[in-house]
Amino acid sequence: MPFIRHTTLDPSLYGLDLTAFEFFKQQTGIIGEDDLKQHILAVQAKAFAVSKPYLWNLYSMVDMNSSPKISKHPKYQSVLQLGRDCTNALLLDLGCCFGNDGRKAVADGWPVNQVISTDINQELWDLGHVLFRSTPSSFPSPFIAGDCFDPTFLSSEPGPTSRSPPDLSSLTSLNDLHGKLAAIHASSIFHLFSAEQQASLVRALAALLSPAPGSIVFGTHAGLRKQGIIWDDVLDETTEVYCHDPESWNKLWEDAGPFKMETILEKVTGVEGEISWRMVWSATMTTKSAV
């Protein structure tokens, strides 16, 4: 996916596609196109002030202008069916930002109290309530803030197991969900980290997944035709971005558990004509694991 190098917010980049407009209109209750635009840009300005600007360069206008990434994924309908078929099935949205994707899953039928969102920044989730004009009472989806590389928050080491559903109202870390999740959505996340961190995160997410066949982790992020490093200039600094190719990405997951991998690489043309590659992938549990 293209990296947006603007270091200040540029309202000219705003432009909801039709699906995104309908989603935000339905979720916010704001009908007028111009009123919705002004509302979204106002919330974006607040978010830019509280989050790391380089992260906003990576996903801010993409996140705002597009319909939720989760519903564009080829596995989305089968994930929704998984939620219908499995009693008390839990869905985790990793790196949720404002919570667009979790809200889309809820709008499409996944029970709101069974969609868990997480991000390192609590303020972005709180601004999601401002963006969607909701409250924790009107949208009671569990949220937990934390660093996915802090082993006290998320670890690949198995913890105590229980057959009873977790108490989501008292979650203190994602480790409380080991072996409990039917589905995990992780988009625009992995390419933010080093190769070693990506491998560690794959193992940790595999440990969260239910051992039942059909449990799934799915998402999209930047990729390459041949794995390696992209050097990107952001805020006058050169940032190293490690990108996998489909073969190397599949191997990470196959080493982490009995997963069936489905991975494709899509060519993307950015707003300034630049070419990049987006990896669309899923890892589905094929046999009952030892978790």
Side-chain angles (χ1 to χ4, degrees):
M1 60 190 59
F3 295 109
I4 302 169
R5 293 179 173 82
H6 299 284
T7 58
T8 58
L9 292 177
D10 183 355
S12 70
L13 294 176
Y14 177 91
L16 295 181
D17 59 35
L18 179 60
T19 304
F21 175 71
E22 291 299 325
F23 170 74
F24 280 108
K25 183 174 72 171
Q26 187 271 332
Q27 290 289 310
T28 64
I30 300 174
I31 305 301
E33 187 171 352
D34 188 62
D35 289 341
L36 182 59
K37 174 182 178 179
Q38 296 308 315
H39 174 69
I40 289 176
L41 291 179
V43 175
Q44 187 189 51
K46 294 178 181 178
F48 189 85
V50 303
S51 66
K52 293 181 178 180
Y54 78 87
L55 289 182
W56 278 91
N57 283 319
L58 295 181
Y59 59 67
S60 60
M61 292 311 301
V62 174
D63 200 56
M64 287 294 197
N65 285 347
S66 303
S67 54
K69 293 181 286 293
I70 193 171
S71 58
K72 295 180 177 180
H73 197 284
K75 287 293 184 180
Y76 182 59
Q77 292 302 320
S78 60
V79 167
L80 291 180
Q81 188 62 48
L82 182 65
R84 290 189 286 266
D85 292 343
C86 302
T87 304
N88 298 320
L90 298 178
L91 167 65
L92 174 70
D93 185 25
L94 183 72
C96 63
C97 193
F98 300 113
N100 300 24
D101 294 301
R103 288 172 185 268
K104 177 59 176 171
V106 170
D108 289 339
W110 203 294
V112 64
N113 60 348
Q114 292 168 215
V115 176
I116 306 154
S117 299
T118 185
D119 202 288
I120 196 170
N121 195 327
Q122 171 82 44
E123 290 174 289
L124 292 179
W125 176 258
D126 293 341
L127 282 171
H129 282 300
V130 178
L131 175 63
F132 293 106
R133 304 172 81 187
S134 63
T135 67
S137 296
S138 65
F139 187 76
S141 180
F143 171 82
I144 181 169
D147 182 349
C148 60
F149 296 109
D150 177 355
T152 65
F153 182 74
L154 177 59
S155 170
S156 60
E157 296 298 322
T161 58
S162 170
R163 293 186 178 273
S164 60
D167 180 3
L168 301 183
S169 65
S170 61
L171 282 181
T172 58
S173 77
L174 293 181
N175 290 330
D176 297 332
L177 299 173
H178 271 167
K180 301 293 186 182
L181 300 178
I184 302 172
H185 175 245
S187 284
S188 302
I189 294 297
F190 279 93
H191 60 236
L192 300 177
F193 308 122
S194 69
E196 294 76 14
Q197 288 175 314
Q198 291 184 45
S200 174
L201 186 55
V202 163
R203 293 190 297 270
L205 294 184
L208 292 180
L209 206 61
S210 164
S215 301
I216 186 171
V217 190
F218 66 108
T220 63
H221 58 263
L224 287 174
R225 288 178 290 180
K226 181 66 175 177
Q227 64 174 316
I229 294 171
I230 296 173
W231 297 97
D232 193 59
D233 294 327
V234 178
L235 295 179
D236 299 321
E237 295 183 6
T238 300
T239 301
E240 179 180 307
V241 180
Y242 190 86
C243 295
H244 280 277
D245 58 43
E247 183 178 358
S248 65
W249 181 247
N250 289 350
K251 188 176 187 309
L252 283 183
W253 285 97
E254 289 162 354
D255 289 346
F259 290 109
K260 175 187 176 182
M261 294 301 301
E262 296 178 69
T263 305
I264 61 173
L265 202 58
E266 297 179 340
K267 188 177 182 179
V268 179
T269 302
V271 293
E272 298 174 355
E274 69 275 20
I275 300 299
S276 60
W277 298 90
R278 174 172 56 220
M279 195 147 57
V280 182
W281 58 274
S282 63
T284 304
M285 191 74 71
T286 57
T287 60
K288 192 172 181 66
S289 76
V291 174

